[in-house]
Amino acid sequence: NVIVTGNVAGNDGLKMSKSRGNFTDPNELMDQYSADSLRFTLLASPLLSGEDFALKDREVGDVARKLSMIWNMYDFFTLYAEVDGWEYNGPLKDPSETLKNPLDQWVISRLHQLIEEIEKNMDGYDIPGAMKPILPFIDDASNWFVRRSRRRFWKSEDDTDKNNAYTTLHYVLVRLSQALAPFVPFLSEELYRNLTGEESVHLTDWPEVGHVNELVVQDMETVRDYVNQALSLRAAAKLKIRQPLASVTIPTKGEFVNFEDVLIDELNVKAVIVGGELALDLELTDELRSEGLMREIVRQVQSARKEAGLNVDDRIQLSLTSDDQALQNAYSTHVKVIKDETLAVNLSDNAE
């Protein structure tokens, strides 16, 4: 097998030329975005298929932004693991057999699919093909698994589901560091050493492809498609996600993933109706409008907590001052939810 590369062109598609000023010094690109980001961009490009490629700074920056989601997941994991004193003990192994939550089963399956696809393409000397599924997986892990699992980590009780969430995210991050090591060696090394305390990810064996639950993967793909369609309907109706709706109608329900739980949470609806084409009930009652205001209050308080530099488990005193009757009604009606969501010890209504 022989790998033949194409030529790297400037950002205008022409031959790199100092007189034209059509390229940024690679050292500057690496200083700004990291060597891993530049390396990833080049390896994923048509260059490795023998075609020419116009190197643009913004594409390297886009890769850097997407790779940073790995550190966002790591920071999230370590933040709550330190709060709970959670540590992984024993040799790393596929936890699939012990996992009951479909979200855990799904992300582990997606990880194993990623490793399998990278291995298959690398064996065939198809480096761009091996790179192709990496960023979509990172997006899945960050914007679906971690985002949908947040409340599992927030729970004060130390139950089995919470422990499984920790175990799953830890396994995903360690295995991901090994799978990405040939492509982003510096990120992978730091991530692996931080998580395991071992000498180097580059001294480990290539990870074996573990169990893939195809049924859970298919169900999750279907329900995510429903979510995307319904969010498009919301956008068309100019209704923010914080505004609750009465119901969503879907064609079918899942067998291995609870579609109702996912759709109620993701779409902020009260009920899921099975039968017919996908549709949203867009009629707003006074109760639904009140709950929408409550969610806006929570959002504002959460932003204030962040600006104040509070820790995730810090408790607060909360008061509301407003002459808006609808806002006051929403505040008084949903006191418990507001307290729970914002970690408020006491609430006072200083209406004017």
Side-chain angles (χ1 to χ4, degrees):
N1 292 282
V2 178
I3 295 177
V4 180
T5 65
N7 296 309
V8 182
N11 51 36
D12 55 3
L14 301 175
K15 181 180 178 180
M16 285 186 170
S17 169
K18 288 185 178 180
S19 61
R20 290 195 187 98
N22 63 350
F23 72 97
T24 302
D25 185 307
N27 288 314
E28 293 181 20
L29 277 178
M30 288 187 285
D31 287 342
Q32 183 174 0
Y33 298 118
S34 81
D36 280 331
S37 299
L38 178 58
R39 178 185 174 95
F40 190 105
T41 304
L42 295 174
L43 289 175
S45 75
L47 279 173
L48 277 293
S49 300
E51 301 177 22
D52 295 345
F53 174 65
L55 179 61
K56 299 177 180 178
D57 295 11
R58 60 180 173 80
E59 293 184 1
V60 181
D62 188 50
V63 168
R65 179 182 60 80
K66 292 175 180 177
L67 289 177
S68 70
M69 289 192 287
I70 297 174
W71 288 120
N72 292 341
M73 289 189 285
Y74 171 78
D75 290 343
F76 176 84
F77 169 78
T78 54
L79 175 66
Y80 286 96
E82 288 174 5
V83 169
D84 289 328
W86 189 92
E87 292 183 3
Y88 186 83
N89 297 313
L92 191 71
K93 61 180 181 179
D94 180 1
S96 298
E97 292 184 0
T98 63
L99 301 176
K100 304 300 181 184
N101 192 310
L103 199 56
D104 296 334
Q105 297 171 351
W106 170 78
V107 76
I108 295 289
S109 296
R110 285 285 291 111
L111 172 70
H112 292 158
Q113 287 178 328
L114 172 70
I115 294 171
E116 183 178 25
E117 195 164 353
I118 291 175
E119 184 176 319
K120 179 184 69 176
N121 283 286
M122 291 292 279
D123 286 346
Y125 283 72
D126 181 3
I127 296 177
M131 306 291 287
K132 187 176 181 181
I134 293 174
L135 294 182
F137 172 78
I138 294 172
D139 183 71
D140 277 354
S142 177
N143 291 323
W144 190 257
F145 172 75
V146 171
R147 183 176 59 79
R148 285 202 51 76
S149 294
R150 286 184 182 277
R151 292 180 185 277
R152 301 167 67 195
F153 291 92
W154 289 345
K155 290 187 294 187
S156 57
E157 64 271 18
D158 187 18
D159 62 6
T160 301
D161 182 62
K162 184 176 185 178
N163 183 68
N164 285 345
Y166 275 120
T167 300
T168 298
L169 185 51
H170 177 267
Y171 177 81
V172 167
L173 289 172
V174 174
R175 283 289 185 253
L176 185 61
S177 71
Q178 294 176 303
L180 299 190
F183 315 112
V184 285
F186 303 108
L187 181 156
S188 298
E189 179 78 325
E190 185 175 356
L191 182 64
Y192 182 82
R193 294 181 67 176
N194 287 354
L195 287 165
T196 67
E198 296 178 10
E199 185 177 356
S200 174
V201 69
H202 303 294
L203 297 177
T204 65
D205 293 332
W206 178 255
E208 294 183 1
V209 177
H211 176 69
V212 175
N213 190 325
E214 298 283 359
L215 299 173
V216 169
V217 170
Q218 182 57 53
D219 263 7
M220 197 69 79
E221 182 179 340
T222 299
V223 75
R224 293 182 73 189
D225 182 54
Y226 289 168
V227 168
N228 290 333
Q229 291 183 55
L231 290 177
S232 296
L233 294 177
R234 261 190 178 275
K238 293 182 172 56
L239 289 171
K240 294 180 180 180
I241 194 65
R242 288 187 295 277
Q243 174 58 61
L245 298 176
S247 66
V248 61
T249 299
I250 58 173
T252 59
K253 64 178 181 179
E255 185 176 353
F256 302 95
V257 174
N258 189 323
F259 280 21
E260 185 173 9
D261 286 351
V262 174
L263 293 170
I264 286 176
D265 194 30
E266 290 292 316
L267 301 178
N268 194 10
V269 295
K270 297 300 182 183
V272 176
I273 302 169
V274 179
E277 296 183 359
L278 193 143
L280 281 172
D281 183 347
L282 301 176
E283 183 179 351
L284 297 179
T285 63
D286 290 341
E287 289 78 9
L288 290 173
R289 293 182 189 277
S290 176
E291 187 174 340
L293 288 173
M294 175 273 291
R295 290 181 179 270
E296 182 62 33
I297 292 171
V298 170
R299 186 187 72 84
Q300 296 285 355
V301 175
Q302 298 291 31
S303 295
R305 284 181 60 99
K306 186 175 182 180
E307 291 176 6
L310 296 178
N311 294 322
V312 293
D313 55 349
D314 284 344
R315 298 284 172 172
I316 61 171
Q317 302 284 342
L318 182 61
S319 63
L320 170 70
T321 301
S322 175
D323 56 2
D324 186 295
Q325 189 60 50
L327 193 61
Q328 292 178 29
N329 291 340
Y331 188 82
S332 58
T333 302
H334 302 284
V335 167
K336 185 179 187 307
V337 176
I338 295 172
K339 286 179 66 175
D340 291 344
E341 293 287 333
T342 63
L343 296 184
V345 177
N346 292 309
L347 289 155
S348 60
D349 184 353
N350 300 322
E352 292 181 351

